[in-house]
Amino acid sequence: MGQNTNAGLFEQEAVSSAVVKLAIPTIISSLVMVLYNLADTYFVGMLNDPVQTAAVTLAAPMLLAFNAVNNLFGVGTSSAMSRFLGRGETEAVKDCSAFGFYCALFCAVLFSALTWIFQNPLLALLGAGEQNAAATAGYMKWAVSFGAVPSILNVVFAFLVRSEGNSVHASIGTMSGCLLNIILDPVFILPQGLAMGAAGAGLATFLSNCAACMYFIVLLYFRRRSTCVCIDVRRFSFQKSIALDIFGVGVPAAIQNLLNVTGMTVFNNFATAYGSEAVAAMGIAQKIQMVPLQIAMGAAQGIMPFVGYNYASGNKKRMKEAVVILLQRTLLLMAAVVLVCSLCSGSLIGLFIKTDSVVSYGARFLIGFVLALPFMCIDYTTVGVFQAIGAGKKSLLFAFLRKIVLEIPALVLLNYMIPLYGMPYASMCAEVVLATASVFMLRKILTDA
């Protein structure tokens, strides 16, 4: 195993214990982007200005679009690295991590430049109108145009570090940025501070991601003799076998994310027809839903190195046990979340804004969103297994079915049948169908294992 010090975790430790050690820190890391946005939404909501809150909601697809690069070079590289580690090819792991990191850096710089140059067309595409375009542009300037590079590298760093089983360090890095963001938000947003409104939320996010990146750079410098993660530019080269291994998982994962961005953009454009208050309420409800959803997604990502390692090393019994344990625990948690959110929907929305009409909208929206959670838990776990074992085409098929075939048509139909209030149930309709397919496909993989 060379420099990899976590072979015991993958090969010998009790599966339930390994799942906890890998999943818990990764769940925390996965929550970071949501916590950034929740903090932004909370402090912007304290202004009691639906236009400012709507600006954060309308810009959300651009922040979600970061994940296209994160998935391409984070998920793809991490999956390849774990499988190389399972085969004992530590030099290939170093080359793989350097290739993934510098490709992510290039794409992040390109993303930043394009969003700056094409800001006005992007605002129109996102659904920003005359009422909220200025506030949305102010938020995007810092969080997207300036913030793309540190935000993307922060997440990619976490994936690379996690691929060796070092979930704790990945979590500390991303959480450090999150805590700093929560501290800076009121300073930049509120009238008692710099009174920048939504733009201040974007600036706080930018600075926080820069701090998180610095943590990872320092970490890798001090651990350079004991880690297989390498960002030495001299290791960067194009090796066809490594590139194909990364892109085989990363490209479908990136396309999956772009389809999510498309779905959110369509959703926001439908919502804008009902005014800034409806958009603000929809955004708050979606962000509340994203907390338990990120727990499920983070747990699935957390066991990916374990699944990929044991799949590559031939110990498929441990792989199967990890997936079953994870599903049992996350489904139980999602059932509890649905119950609590359904009973307390109005109170939860009221934590973020006090405008009565927004709270009324949001309380009804939230119930529709959370009902999809148990089914999404099954679906994202299945996609995580596909990515871990290198079956990227299957994860892409799921993404295409979710957004293009099922969710967007359901959104159009439900909005026609039950204007505005039918929209939050589109996701549940899509996920029920996918969960049924997931059960059959996952059972086949685990039975073969």
Side-chain angles (χ1 to χ4, degrees):
M1 286 305 302
Q3 290 173 297
N4 181 33
T5 59
N6 290 294
L9 176 69
F10 292 132
E11 297 174 358
Q12 298 159 353
E13 186 155 344
V15 174
S16 59
S17 174
V19 167
V20 170
K21 287 184 178 180
L22 289 168
I24 296 299
T26 311
I27 287 169
I28 295 172
S29 297
S30 297
L31 284 170
V32 167
M33 184 59 73
V34 178
L35 292 177
Y36 277 136
N37 288 324
L38 277 176
D40 291 347
T41 302
Y42 177 78
F43 288 109
V44 171
M46 289 179 68
L47 300 173
N48 276 321
D49 182 353
V51 170
Q52 295 290 324
T53 304
V56 177
T57 300
L58 291 171
M62 295 308 300
L63 298 178
L64 184 61
F66 290 166
N67 287 335
V69 182
N70 296 339
N71 288 350
L72 177 55
F73 297 111
V75 173
T77 304
S78 175
S79 174
M81 288 171 66
S82 296
R83 283 178 277 120
F84 280 130
L85 285 170
R87 295 191 290 265
E89 301 175 30
T90 54
E91 291 303 308
V93 175
K94 293 179 181 180
D95 292 337
C96 187
S97 58
F99 179 80
F101 173 79
Y102 285 104
C103 286
L105 175 59
F106 171 80
C107 289
V109 171
L110 182 63
F111 192 108
S112 178
L114 290 175
T115 54
W116 180 260
I117 294 169
F118 298 106
Q119 182 187 77
N120 289 334
L122 277 174
L123 288 171
L125 181 64
L126 293 170
E130 183 177 345
Q131 185 183 29
N132 45 42
T136 306
Y139 182 77
M140 284 180 56
K141 172 186 174 182
W142 290 106
V144 180
S145 296
F146 291 168
V149 173
S151 180
I152 288 170
L153 292 187
N154 176 16
V155 177
V156 170
F157 269 132
F159 271 112
L160 299 184
V161 170
R162 192 182 301 127
S163 67
E164 290 187 304
N166 291 320
S167 291
V168 172
H169 280 296
S171 177
I172 291 172
T174 49
M175 280 303 297
S176 64
C178 178
L179 293 175
L180 179 60
N181 186 72
I182 293 172
I183 293 170
L184 293 179
D185 261 346
V187 176
F188 292 132
I189 295 170
L190 300 180
Q192 299 90 329
L194 298 178
M196 295 175 64
L203 177 56
T205 299
F206 166 69
L207 294 175
S208 302
N209 278 314
C210 288
C213 284
M214 287 305 302
Y215 172 87
F216 284 116
I217 291 170
V218 172
L219 172 71
L220 292 179
Y221 176 77
F222 283 105
R223 291 173 60 88
R224 63 191 182 279
R225 301 187 192 282
S226 61
T227 180
C228 292
V229 179
C230 178
I231 58 171
D232 187 341
V233 69
R234 292 171 295 183
R235 279 275 185 177
F236 176 76
S237 63
F238 182 83
Q239 299 180 40
K240 185 177 180 180
S241 59
I242 288 178
L244 289 176
D245 217 344
I246 291 174
F247 292 148
V249 172
V251 169
I255 294 173
Q256 174 184 337
N257 176 258
L258 291 175
L259 291 173
N260 289 339
V261 173
T262 301
M264 181 177 286
T265 303
V266 171
F267 209 107
N268 285 344
N269 274 274
F270 271 91
T272 53
Y274 300 95
S276 289
E277 292 182 346
V279 174
M282 199 75 75
I284 293 171
Q286 286 173 324
K287 288 182 174 66
I288 293 173
Q289 183 216 28
M290 284 301 293
V291 174
L293 177 58
Q294 285 296 326
I295 291 174
M297 292 174 65
Q301 289 178 350
I303 68 164
M304 276 179 58
F306 188 93
V307 171
Y309 185 102
N310 283 285
Y311 179 82
S313 64
N315 195 343
K316 296 181 181 179
K317 180 180 179 182
R318 284 174 66 80
M319 178 191 86
K320 175 181 178 180
E321 188 176 348
V323 175
V324 172
I325 289 172
L326 184 75
L327 273 175
Q328 289 173 341
R329 296 182 180 181
T330 51
L331 279 173
L332 184 62
L333 176 62
M334 291 305 113
V337 168
V338 170
L339 179 62
V340 171
C341 288
S342 298
L343 293 175
C344 307
S345 58
S347 299
L348 290 171
I349 299 295
L351 292 174
F352 294 89
I353 196 166
K354 302 304 180 185
T355 306
D356 290 341
S357 57
V358 176
V359 173
S360 178
Y361 281 135
R364 296 178 67 177
F365 295 159
L366 182 59
I367 295 172
F369 284 127
V370 298
L371 286 174
L373 287 171
F375 307 103
M376 296 174 92
C377 174
I378 298 171
D379 299 341
Y380 281 106
T381 299
T382 303
V383 169
V385 172
F386 290 157
Q387 292 172 340
I389 67 176
K393 291 181 180 179
K394 291 181 179 178
S395 64
L396 176 59
L397 174 62
F398 262 50
F400 181 80
L401 289 174
R402 172 180 287 114
K403 293 298 175 183
I404 305 301
V405 177
L406 297 170
E407 186 173 314
I408 292 177
L411 176 65
V412 175
L413 180 61
L414 287 170
N415 187 54
Y416 175 77
M417 295 173 61
I418 312 171
L420 183 60
Y421 295 106
M423 292 165 60
Y425 294 88
S427 178
M428 185 190 72
C429 293
E431 299 298 339
V432 168
V433 176
L434 284 175
T436 304
S438 294
V439 169
F440 286 103
M441 297 181 76
L442 199 55
R443 179 183 292 176
K444 185 178 188 307
I445 293 172
L446 298 181
T447 300
D448 292 343

